[in-house]
Amino acid sequence: MEQAPATLPRLSLEHFQHAHCESGVTTNLLRFYGVDISEPLSFGIGAGLFFGHIPFLKVNGTPGTTFRTWPGAIFKRATQRLGIQIHSQKFSRPEQAMQALDEVLERGIPVGMQTSVYYLPYLPEAFRFHFNAHNLVVYGKEGDEYLVSDPVLETATRIHTSDLAKARFAKGAPEPKGFMYYVKQVPPQSDYPNAILAGIRQTCFMMLSPPLPWFGCNAFALLAKKIRSYPKTLSTRKAALYLGNIIRMQEEIGTGGAGFRYLFAAFLQEAAERMHREDLKKFSEELTVIGDAWRNFAYSAARIVKARTSDLVSFQQLSDQLLDIGHREKEVLKRLRKAAQK
Amino acid sequence: MHLDEVPQEGLHYKERDTLRKLMYATDREGHYTGVASVGWEAENIATQSAWDEVNESLRETEAAVRSGQLSPIVYFMQKCLMDLPILARYVGKWRWTVRRHMKPAVFKKLKPATLKSYATVFGISVEELQAFGSNKQDS
């Protein structure tokens, strides 16, 4: 078999920093094809906003909490709603996956892929846990290094071939299995208003409709109940660890602040401008206020983590704070759902 | 959150403050815009506490390995920030098998090939894996 050349064309992909990896990758990939899209727009059309708390699904010993939808969904939904054709693929062996990547690059196509942050040496060590759903774009190869546009970084970077192969074949849920995706065809025009409304409707549906306690607005009450019980059921150390994990999901992994609530508010604002809808602008302002409440929640939680306390009152107050945010967010989303029908 | 309220509180720990992340905040007219932030106190507390927990567990596990309650596999697993499900996937074994290998008595009888596969996953030599926590090693 013929050996792929060591150096592949370097594509003129322009790197922009974004808050979140997947909406950032979606935006950077689409901009390469001249699509006029911002990160908030990708995020909103892709219905990225979500909430979930699954106590029995332990991630590194702590109950799983998420403020966003599942990996891969934003890119898929956003491109689908804009009529953009994509190709995505998983692999069973690293050699296959790396060869397929080289072949696509050779055709002049930038490639998005799922990786584990543990194997990305260019990230600060503080972030490098086994988190296997980080997205980045590869847009060229020089010698044994790939050129990487990682949306959470301020500038483009590079990664060694062996590190990238490890990152694409990290083990443990969610397993990337070399998952990669790229844009095949972009239509001359996309129907933004409809895509935006569909994104809003799906966001509201996912937050308001699941009749299960672990997903959407129901999970606010579940987590509030759990937090109330932490000082009684957990050691001080475990309670601090659990709370700390919620803060990290909300703020540490790139969320743009307040667990994606600001990002969603920015989306509604942009939607309002594009569609000349004053009501969406109002919703954006309301979401901003809710985002501020989430920031306060994280701040209160951090104080408990720092004090390593089992004080019942502190946990009770934190739980009430969360319940209150949950009620308000639910109420806003219910009205937003109605508004998005039009 | 207003632009001028975006915190710039860096955490000088494990290169955390070398990365500025993009945040979304509103300007005076209420317009959203992106702004780079080096960090926030609440987030830093959570990051630091996650690492403190890792280090504390490592110290406890090291003591347990030295006193013969656990095999070195547990120590290196935690050192690589893994848990049982992740390690089991990396070495390609059942979880209960790996759990058995965490017992010192079982660990001593492991075949060289099995030890090799653990050592490879942890990025160390078989000798390092076997010697850890035993009296032969002085550290």
Side-chain angles (χ1 to χ4, degrees):
Chain A
M1 196 195 276
E2 212 182 317
Q3 196 76 25
T7 299
L8 295 166
R10 181 201 190 108
L11 309 175
S12 60
L13 179 110
E14 207 176 338
H15 172 85
F16 297 93
Q17 188 185 21
H18 297 289
H20 176 57
C21 66
E22 194 180 329
S23 47
V25 160
T26 305
T27 309
N28 283 345
L29 277 182
L30 293 185
R31 280 186 184 170
F32 176 82
Y33 292 94
V35 179
D36 172 28
I37 197 165
S38 65
E39 182 187 23
L41 217 49
S42 310
F43 182 79
I45 295 175
L49 191 84
F50 188 54
F51 187 76
H53 179 72
I54 313 176
F56 51 84
L57 188 97
K58 293 267 168 45
V59 183
N60 258 311
T62 47
T65 306
T66 179
F67 287 80
R68 52 156 293 178
T69 186
W70 50 84
I74 296 176
F75 181 74
K76 197 175 156 195
R77 294 167 179 168
T79 48
Q80 236 166 28
R81 294 201 166 118
L82 295 171
I84 294 162
Q85 282 179 32
I86 59 161
H87 177 85
S88 66
Q89 205 175 348
K90 282 191 177 186
F91 301 87
S92 50
R93 286 188 300 117
E95 305 80 58
Q96 285 175 343
M98 297 311 276
Q99 203 190 338
L101 170 62
D102 287 355
E103 282 165 12
V104 179
L105 285 174
E106 212 166 348
R107 283 158 52 201
I109 300 171
V111 185
M113 59 194 68
Q114 189 184 337
T115 57
S116 164
V117 293
Y118 189 76
Y119 297 105
L120 302 178
Y122 58 75
L123 286 178
E125 198 195 340
F127 291 143
R128 288 171 54 200
F129 282 81
H130 289 274
F131 172 69
N132 292 350
H134 183 68
N135 291 274
L136 50 84
V137 176
V138 170
Y139 65 99
K141 188 184 185 185
E142 273 176 26
D144 46 12
E145 278 185 328
Y146 283 93
L147 308 178
V148 172
S149 158
D150 188 321
V152 304
L153 297 188
E154 287 176 274
T155 53
T157 186
R158 288 156 179 270
I159 190 170
H160 198 273
T161 304
S162 59
D163 286 325
L164 185 62
K166 271 190 219 160
R168 296 181 69 194
F169 277 85
K171 306 280 197 232
E175 226 153 273
K177 291 193 186 354
F179 183 64
M180 68 176 206
Y181 47 90
Y182 54 88
V183 174
K184 262 165 64 182
Q185 209 180 359
V186 178
Q189 260 177 345
S190 294
D191 182 357
Y192 279 93
N194 262 330
I196 287 168
L197 290 179
I200 295 177
R201 280 195 298 268
Q202 189 174 28
T203 304
C204 294
F205 177 81
M206 294 308 290
M207 285 296 289
L208 297 168
S209 298
L212 299 162
W214 310 291
F215 309 115
C217 290
N218 291 343
F220 294 136
L222 174 70
L223 181 57
K225 196 174 118 193
K226 288 281 173 192
I227 288 178
R228 214 158 41 233
S229 75
Y230 282 171
K232 285 170 244 165
T233 54
L234 300 173
S235 65
T236 311
R237 188 171 151 187
K238 264 256 155 76
L241 185 68
Y242 283 18
L243 280 189
N245 188 56
I246 300 167
I247 305 171
R248 289 172 68 207
M249 289 301 127
Q250 190 191 312
E251 303 293 338
E252 187 192 74
I253 62 161
T255 70
F260 302 102
R261 268 58 190 168
Y262 290 144
L263 190 48
F264 191 67
F267 158 66
L268 290 176
Q269 189 177 64
E270 203 178 327
E273 281 159 16
R274 278 196 184 234
M275 298 164 67
H276 310 290
R277 295 242 330 225
E278 271 303 306
D279 60 335
L280 290 183
K281 200 173 154 220
K282 272 267 172 305
F283 280 115
S284 164
E285 284 160 16
E286 288 190 65
L287 249 305
T288 304
V289 175
I290 287 175
D292 292 342
W294 276 111
R295 295 282 282 187
N296 289 338
F297 169 78
Y299 194 80
S300 310
R303 278 171 48 187
I304 299 181
V305 172
K306 194 171 185 186
R308 282 218 177 182
T309 165
S310 282
D311 175 29
L312 287 173
V313 181
S314 316
F315 280 85
Q316 179 72 49
Q317 279 169 351
L318 191 68
S319 166
D320 292 345
Q321 212 176 340
L322 177 60
L323 267 185
D324 176 55
I325 299 172
H327 283 310
R328 282 157 62 191
E329 193 170 311
K330 187 174 180 181
E331 191 266 330
V332 172
L333 289 174
K334 270 185 175 168
R335 281 187 286 120
L336 180 61
R337 177 168 61 180
K338 271 206 191 108
Q341 302 300 335
K342 290 174 256 176
Chain B
M1 187 166 58
H2 288 281
L3 271 184
D4 49 10
E5 289 168 358
V6 175
Q8 299 289 350
E9 293 150 2
L11 172 68
H12 194 63
Y13 180 74
K14 292 195 186 278
E15 307 158 1
R16 168 61 190 92
D17 53 4
T18 59
L19 176 69
R20 296 198 307 161
K21 286 188 296 190
L22 193 78
M23 305 284 294
Y24 283 86
T26 50
D27 63 14
R28 226 171 267 162
E29 282 80 46
H31 212 151
Y32 264 101
T33 156
V35 52
S37 158
V38 72
W40 180 36
E41 189 194 345
E43 175 200 336
N44 294 342
I45 290 171
T47 306
Q48 183 74 60
S49 113
W51 282 100
D52 289 348
E53 174 65 29
V54 169
N55 295 328
E56 213 170 313
S57 304
L58 269 181
R59 274 196 298 277
E60 287 168 3
T61 306
E62 182 172 352
V65 174
R66 286 190 189 284
S67 63
Q69 293 164 285
L70 290 172
S71 83
I73 286 175
V74 187
Y75 178 83
F76 287 105
M77 173 183 84
Q78 290 179 351
K79 198 160 176 94
C80 295
L81 306 177
M82 293 178 180
D83 56 8
L84 177 64
I86 296 179
L87 176 59
R89 281 291 296 135
Y90 270 103
V91 290
K93 295 184 190 308
W94 298 100
R95 287 183 201 181
W96 63 264
T97 315
V98 175
R99 204 178 281 126
R100 249 172 59 77
H101 295 168
M102 291 176 173
K103 294 180 186 167
V106 179
F107 177 76
K108 281 194 194 97
K109 288 185 219 154
L110 287 184
K111 291 190 196 114
T114 313
L115 287 171
K116 179 83 193 127
S117 71
Y118 278 108
T120 310
V121 168
F122 298 141
I124 53 174
S125 67
V126 173
E127 292 71 37
E128 266 179 278
L129 178 63
Q130 283 178 310
F132 182 81
S134 69
N135 299 328
K136 280 171 270 174
Q137 204 192 30
D138 51 12
S139 64

